[in-house]
Each structure stands twice: as C-alpha cells, then as structure tokens.
Amino acid sequence: MNFNPLSDTHIKNLRAMVAEDRFSTGESVLELHAKDESHHRPCRPESGIWPVTRDEVARVVKYANDNRLPVTGWGSGSSLEGNPIPVQQGLVLDFTRMNRIVDIRTGDFQADVEPGLVYQDLNEKLRHTGLFFPPDPGARATLGGMIANNASGTRTIYYGSTKDYVLRLSVVLANGEIIELGTRASKTSSGYDLIRLFVGSEGTLGIVVEATVRLAGLPAEFSAAVATFASVEDAGKAVFEIMRNGLHPAALELLGPECVELMNREENLTLAIAPTLFMEFHGSTTGQLAEVLEMAAEICNSLGCRRFEPGVGRAERDRIFKARHALGEMIIRNHPDSNVLVMDVAVPITAYSPLIAAIRGELAGTGLVSYYISHAGNGNVHLNIVGKKGDTRQWELINGIVQRLVTRSLELGGTATGEHGIGLGKRKFMIAEHGSSLQWMKRVKSLFDPNGILNPGKIFP
Ligand SMILES: Cc1cc2nc3c(=O)[nH]c(=O)nc-3n(C[C@H](O)[C@H](O)[C@H](O)COP(=O)(O)OP(=O)(O)OC[C@H]3O[C@@H](n4cnc5c(N)ncnc54)[C@H](O)[C@@H]3O)c2cc1C
C-alpha cells in the first residue's frame, strides 16, 4: 500500500476537525505512541488525535481514507505483540478521552461503554451493583483495546474471554460510515456474526466507538489455594484432574519456580520455590467452597503435591492472588536493561506435557533467563524470555527458540496466540496456522478497508 506523508495541509485540516488541544505533532506525544509493552521496535506516528465523539472519529477516518493516511487506534498501549505500534506512521487515534460509561442496565446485565474506558474503572463503578465485567488482562487495558485483541486473563477458564461479552458494537469503517452490529438480546441466531469478526481484528477492519458489554453477577463467596509440586508435569496432571472432577475453578494458573522466587522476593512471601498452581473458586457459600477446596487438596495430594495452602473468603483470595496479578509487571521491572518477549501459545490440554518437554529441551544449556507462566486450565502458556537490549546474538537465539516452540504448538493442534493477538510478532505464523483460509481473511480485510489504511502492517505476513 502507498501512503502519503502527513503534509501541512493535512495537519491544518485535521486540526480543524477536533478541538485545538486534541491534535498534536509534539515530540513527546509521538514518542508516547511509538511503542507498546512488547519487545518490538518502536515507530512514531506523525500525529496524535484524541477524539471524544463518534462523529469526530468518522470525519477523521474518512479524511484519512480519502488522503491515504494510515490510522491506528490506541487504548492504553499495553499490548504485548506490537499491536498498536504505528509501523506505517500516519495518525494515532488515542481513545483515552472517549472513556464514558454511557449506560448501565443492571436489570439486563449490560453496560454501554466508550472504547477508552479502562476495564478496572468499569468494575469500580459496578462495585455496588453486584455485577462485574469478568475479562481481566491484568494491565490497565481499555475496552476498545480488549475488544480489538480479544483479551482474556486468569479467569477465562470460568468466565470466557472478551468475545463472550460483546453484544453490540458501533464501528466506524474505513470510508467513515458508522455501522451498528449485534443486539441487546442476550442471545441471537440472526445472520452472520459480524461481532465475532470485529472482536480480535486488532483495529484492522474498523474503529470501535461504542460497545454494549455483558456483565456477570459477582459471586457471593471466593476461595483460593496455592499448591506446590515436584514437577510441572505433576502440576499439569492436577490441572486436568481438577477440571475433570467438575470443580469449575475460576482461575487455574501454573507458575514455574523462577516466578515463585521473584514473587517471594518482591512481595515478602515464603512460598516453596517449585512449580506452583494458583487456583481460585467462586461460589454461593463458604461451606460449599470449603468442600471444593478439600476435594482440590485431595486431588493435588494424590499427585504428589508437597504443600497445599487453602484460603476461604475474599480477603484470603486477594492475599493469595495479589502477587500473581502483579507478576507480569514485576518481571518487566526486574530487568530494566532488557526487553521481555512473551510467548503466548495455547494447545489442547492433552498436548500440555509434550509442549512443556519441548520448552525444557529448547532452554537447556542456553543460560537464558525465562519465566514460565501458564493459564493452565486453557492450555495457554506464556514463556517470558529476557533478552538484553541491543544484544543481537542473544535475540537471534531467543527468536529461534520461539519460532520452534510456536511451530511445535501448531503441530500439537494449538495456536500461535491464546490472547495477545497477532500484532507484528505472530504474522510469520499465519500461513502455517491458517493455510488457505488466510486468503479469505485477506479478502475480508480488503472488503472493509480497500485502501489498507487501518492499522497497516498487522496480522498479515
Ligand atoms: C503486565 C501485562 C500483563 C498482561 N496480561 C494479559 C493477559 O493476561 N491477557 C491478555 O489478553 N492480555 C494481557 N496483556 C496484554 C494487553 O493488556 C491486552 O492485549 C489489552 O487488551 C490491550 O489493551 P489496551 O487498551 O492497552 O490496547 P492497546 O495496546 O492500546 O491496543 C490494542 C489493539 O487495539 C487497537 N485499538 C485500540 N482501540 C481501538 C478502537 N477503539 N477500535 C479499534 N481498535 C482499537 C489497537 O490499534 C491495537 O491493535 C498484558 C499486558 C501487560 C503489560
């Protein structure tokens, strides 16, 4: 695709479309929108725009389309695959000022939200309604960014991912047209599911300007437990047994010993340094949850669990999970001279052991620092590998390892990305994962965005 550089005329016209203080070509603004939280190389846009209404978005996008200027949506920039990096420069539409909760309909379990709303802020607002929005990527992500990446998190095993919570979308297409997708009914069989097409499309098909999301009832009681195992394989078996026995965990997270060591150091904990399962259960009474924990303990103990530390009640759950939720940021903070590559494969549960064996084989003797974190109930494995900034040889080694591990995951019937999206880093696996259906994705892209102005350079190899 050929794009035009941003000219003085473009700047004058775009500035006139939004208020003076919501358009900028300032150095710090461009720098701020040049990188997300990934290891990918930064690239500055040519301008930053903060829209506050859907009509502003429509006008700017239409102008960009008519003038062949790239447009990239921006939420919090917390992506881990370079998803919002404006690699073809152009305009970044930053949604942080378009962040209203338009309506909360508790009786329907629904909220209408603008794309720049941070999901923790939505949950804070919902706190007294007895409802919440369950997808929880951990970082301070916006609803627009979560919808675009189909984000999920620790509780996806029980509650599902973002795609399960989007009922309705208002979307600005590349030509500036605003379309309404979906329904406020809680189920529908009507026509093609365009919502599912737009969720996870990483801002390459259209720009989300409003969403109706589904809410869930806050559970009355919580419990959690930490179980320590001799090996990752034994912990993996416990994951399968906990699910097979119908205990319905709300989170089932498997961490490698290196993660536990870091959490002990940073959070003053005294967990045994070994492969560890963090589990959480939601229910209606403490009695019921205590029973579930007892069963979980039995299962873990029968599989060689060395220590099982249970806790019933919200405060106990929060205490046990606090360090787990802070882990991603802890790793980044502890390696200031390095970048961290986060592998994000997901495999069927039965392929979990062969994948772990492959990871072990690849890392042996490399001397690399890495952290094993897994949303184990979903077979979603993150290997966070630390590489020194600018050390080309080390990065060649890391990229080779990830290339082979993703290929192995695909051979095992898995996917290159369980939750972070394709962005820049996973484009090279699209042919291997999707084969001839990739051509149909390309046709969909050119149908919605014939000039390729929306988040160019992403998803397709
Ligand atoms: C410490 C840490 C832990 C994380 N843990 C998880 C996790 O457990 N699970 C998980 O899924 N993710 C996780 N992430 C990744 C990240 O938080 C999610 O991908 C999140 O959805 C990104 O949201 P954002 O608001 O930061 O979006 P951004 O990064 O700003 O953008 C994401 C994508 O959305 C597009 N976009 C933004 N707004 C719009 C819009 N209005 N319309 C169309 N497209 C738009 C962008 O162009 C980009 O392609 C983690 C990140 C960090 C730093």
Side-chain angles (χ1 to χ4, degrees), residues 132 183 196 222 234 242 277 328 336 344 353 408 419:
F132 79 121
T183 168
R196 291 276 178 126
F222 300 82
D234 286 348
I242 287 169
L277 262 187
D344 174 42
S353 287
R408 182 74 186 120
E419 57 185 20

Side-chain angles (χ1 to χ4, degrees), residues 258-274:
E258 63 291 340
C259 296
V260 178
E261 194 186 351
L262 180 64
M263 286 156 73
N264 278 350
R265 208 168 59 229
E266 290 272 314
E267 297 277 327
N268 263 333
L269 302 175
T270 54
L271 296 169
I273 296 175

Side-chain angles (χ1 to χ4, degrees), residues 104-379:
I104 294 175
R105 292 181 300 284
T106 51
D108 289 331
F109 292 78
Q110 289 173 17
D112 298 337
V113 297
E114 289 186 336
L117 179 68
V118 170
Y119 80 95
Q120 288 99 333
D121 295 342
L122 173 61
N123 280 334
E124 183 55 34
K125 190 81 184 169
L126 289 168
R127 212 148 61 93
H128 301 293
T129 64
L131 302 177
F132 79 121
F133 177 69
D136 62 332
R140 272 189 70 76
T142 63
L143 269 295
M146 289 174 68
I147 289 168
N149 283 355
N150 184 24
S152 47
T154 54
R155 301 201 183 94
T156 292
I157 182 178
Y158 187 71
Y159 289 100
S161 53
T162 302
K163 68 176 167 15
D164 302 305
Y165 287 85
V166 181
L167 289 170
R168 211 187 52 81
L169 286 178
S170 305
V171 178
V172 171
L173 298 182
N175 63 5
E177 186 187 341
I178 303 176
I179 57 169
E180 303 292 336
L181 311 174
T183 168
R184 289 204 163 107
S186 71
K187 62 186 285 196
T188 172
S189 301
S190 179
Y192 298 145
D193 192 345
L194 294 182
I195 297 266
R196 291 276 178 126
L197 181 60
F198 276 83
V199 176
S201 64
E202 301 185 27
T204 61
L205 298 180
I207 299 288
V208 173
V209 287
E210 194 180 299
T212 297
V213 293
R214 194 194 293 276
L215 306 173
L218 259 180
E221 296 293 347
F222 300 82
S223 71
V226 181
T228 304
F229 290 85
S231 68
V232 172
E233 283 81 356
D234 286 348
K237 284 181 202 151
V239 167
F240 170 73
E241 287 300 334
I242 287 169
M243 290 169 66
R244 193 178 66 86
N245 279 277
L247 299 193
H248 302 300
L252 202 45
E253 300 280 294
L254 175 50
L255 307 183
E258 63 291 340
C259 296
V260 178
E261 194 186 351
L262 180 64
M263 286 156 73
N264 278 350
R265 208 168 59 229
E266 290 272 314
E267 297 277 327
N268 263 333
L269 302 175
T270 54
L271 296 169
I273 296 175
T276 301
L277 262 187
F278 279 66
M279 58 193 94
E280 177 174 336
F281 300 94
H282 294 174
S284 46
T285 65
T286 49
Q288 174 212 347
L289 288 177
E291 260 173 46
V292 168
L293 278 184
E294 234 169 74
M295 284 175 73
E298 245 172 60
I299 290 169
C300 291
N301 290 334
S302 73
L303 290 164
C305 169
R306 292 169 164 179
R307 184 168 142 193
F308 188 92
E309 192 200 326
V312 176
R314 182 186 271 255
E316 275 298 280
R317 187 281 307 261
D318 289 351
R319 184 184 66 80
I320 288 171
F321 264 84
K322 182 170 166 264
R324 164 63 193 99
H325 286 306
L327 184 59
E329 276 160 16
M330 239 182 249
I331 293 171
I332 296 171
R333 204 173 52 239
N334 264 267
H335 299 282
D337 302 332
S338 302
N339 286 319
V340 180
L341 183 149
V342 186
M343 192 187 76
D344 174 42
V345 297
V347 292
I349 307 266
T350 48
Y352 203 66
S353 287
L355 177 62
I356 292 166
I359 291 175
R360 190 164 289 139
E362 284 290 345
L363 291 176
T366 62
L368 287 169
V369 175
S370 65
Y371 298 85
Y372 180 91
I373 305 175
S374 168
H375 306 304
N378 291 116

Side-chain angles (χ1 to χ4, degrees), residues 5-49:
L6 196 68
S7 67
D8 289 344
T9 311
H10 295 141
I11 292 175
K12 189 168 133 280
N13 291 337
L14 286 164
R15 204 186 282 279
M17 288 181 198
V18 291
E20 181 76 11
D21 66 332
R22 291 193 280 106
F23 176 92
S24 176
T25 54
E27 289 289 303
S28 60
V29 165
L30 305 187
E31 195 58 33
L32 208 67
H33 295 94
K35 73 181 293 295
D36 58 2
E37 293 288 337
S38 72
H39 64 289
H40 294 291
R41 188 179 309 153
C43 181
R44 289 172 168 207
E46 290 156 286
S47 76
I49 299 175

